Amino acid sequence: MSNGSSLNEFLLLPFADTWELQLLHFSLFLAIYLAALLGNGLLITAVACDHRLHTPMYFFLLNLSLFDLGSISTTVPKSMANSLWNPRIISFLGCAAQVFLVVFLFGGEFSLLTVMAYDRYVAICRPLHYGTLLGSRACVKMATAAWASGFLNALLHTANTFSLPLCQGNMVEQFFCEIPQILKLSCSDSYLSEVRLLVISVSLVFGCFICIVMSYVQIFAAVLRIPSEQGQHKAFSMCIPHLAVVSLFVSTVMIAYLKPQSISSPALDLVVAVLYAVVPPALNPIIYSMRNKELKDAL
């Protein structure tokens, strides 16, 4: 196969070779997927239907659940189908669509988590200006910016990745189409342009991470100055779920993309991909509802 245009399909990596283990993989993924659908679906319904939750924090939380539903629906159903019927085949256009959606949804989600950190900062450090800085128009603009940034980032990466000549076979060593695995199939030095795009994206992600860290440094400094223990507890309860979601997202993505190549293997890559692509969308609704009385009452 001389170039990407003559490559009509890819083969995805299976989780197991035996039918029993494939059935186990299907059952586990089905349970996680249903939990994600139920948790995020209930959260979206509660925020949309309960007027008490029509605030900036819950508006952003609704958008986060939409990102989570989209991301887990992009990767998990195809993998479950592979376990049951073992086709392993995904078309060229299907693979490109999967890459686009994964980059779009995860990139947009991290942008949204940055916006949510700003929301917590304003709520705790500048409460008197909360209504002004985070009015309905401002919230819609920030959420739109998060979706738009993910879309543009995904468009650039997908177009650049699938314009490369691919002649190293069609075996993708992952259970979904992922840019690093597609780049391994390239037979041209032009993949360096995609590496440059990845460096730019990592820089932007690092910038968002710095913004989140700076927000929480100021938040914790402000919380520790609150005289009452009850006030401190309430402030921490507002921040801990978001901080837990950010930590889960950042740590799993860092393990996936920054682990040394010397310890990389198909089996390890599969496990790490599950940690960042499958587990967080199912856990996020649980994390946010555990310490949130308003959300529990609405549910």
Side-chain angles (χ1 to χ4, degrees):
M1 297 178 184
S2 59
N3 54 52
S5 62
S6 63
L7 195 61
N8 296 319
E9 60 188 27
F10 295 92
L11 292 176
L12 298 176
L13 190 67
F15 267 87
D17 296 326
T18 64
W19 167 247
E20 291 78 9
L21 291 177
Q22 287 177 343
L23 192 60
L24 178 61
H25 158 243
F26 172 82
S27 302
L28 289 175
F29 265 35
L30 179 63
I32 295 172
Y33 187 54
L34 291 177
L37 290 181
L38 179 63
N40 287 289
L42 284 174
L43 197 151
I44 291 170
T45 304
V47 174
C49 297
D50 195 323
H51 69 278
R52 295 173 299 174
L53 302 183
H54 293 175
T55 63
M57 181 178 74
Y58 294 108
F59 171 72
F60 294 134
L61 188 55
L62 183 148
N63 279 269
L64 181 68
S65 289
L66 291 175
F67 277 121
D68 284 336
L69 280 178
S71 61
I72 198 169
S73 296
T74 300
T75 57
V76 168
K78 176 62 177 174
S79 181
M80 290 193 298
N82 286 346
S83 291
L84 278 187
W85 296 290
N86 199 30
R88 292 181 56 197
I89 296 173
I90 185 169
S91 67
F92 183 90
L93 290 177
C95 188
Q98 211 171 46
V99 166
F100 175 83
L101 289 171
V102 167
V103 178
F104 166 42
L105 294 165
F106 280 105
E109 180 167 336
F110 193 64
S111 297
L112 186 68
L113 289 173
T114 307
V115 171
M116 293 173 75
Y118 175 71
D119 169 67
R120 297 300 82 210
Y121 161 74
V122 175
I124 293 174
C125 299
R126 304 183 66 183
L128 297 179
H129 299 88
Y130 189 77
T132 304
L133 295 174
L134 287 163
S136 57
R137 286 188 178 183
C139 291
V140 169
K141 288 180 180 178
M142 286 187 280
T144 302
W147 286 91
S149 64
F151 179 85
L152 292 175
N153 188 40
L155 193 63
L156 287 172
H157 280 294
T158 305
N160 194 69
T161 300
F162 287 93
S163 66
L164 301 176
L166 306 174
C167 62
Q168 302 293 330
N170 65 341
M171 178 65 187
V172 179
E173 294 184 347
Q174 190 54 272
F175 70 93
F176 63 95
C177 287
E178 188 182 39
I179 288 179
Q181 303 300 332
I182 301 296
L183 292 180
K184 290 180 181 180
L185 306 180
S186 174
C187 54
S188 169
D189 291 337
S190 58
Y191 77 91
L192 290 175
S193 61
E194 176 60 28
V195 172
R196 284 192 289 269
L197 271 179
L198 286 172
V199 169
I200 294 173
S201 296
V202 169
S203 300
L204 292 175
V205 167
F206 184 72
C208 290
F209 180 71
I210 292 298
C211 289
I212 293 173
V213 171
M214 291 178 64
S215 296
Y216 272 100
V217 167
Q218 296 182 68
I219 286 170
F220 288 140
V223 169
L224 293 176
R225 290 196 297 268
I226 297 176
S228 69
E229 186 176 337
Q230 184 178 1
Q232 289 184 355
H233 177 74
K234 183 178 179 180
F236 278 125
S237 296
M238 292 171 63
C239 297
I240 287 176
H242 177 257
L243 197 57
V245 169
V246 171
S247 301
L248 179 65
F249 184 88
V250 172
S251 60
T252 52
V253 170
M254 285 180 65
I255 292 172
Y257 289 97
L258 299 181
K259 66 181 184 299
Q261 287 297 319
S262 58
I263 65 170
S264 181
S265 67
L268 180 61
D269 290 344
L270 278 174
V271 172
V272 170
V274 170
L275 288 177
Y276 87 84
V278 179
V279 174
L283 284 183
N284 287 350
I286 299 173
I287 293 172
Y288 269 103
S289 60
M290 280 179 62
R291 300 174 61 90
N292 192 313
K293 186 177 184 301
E294 290 180 338
L295 193 55
K296 285 182 179 178
D297 293 340
L299 289 172

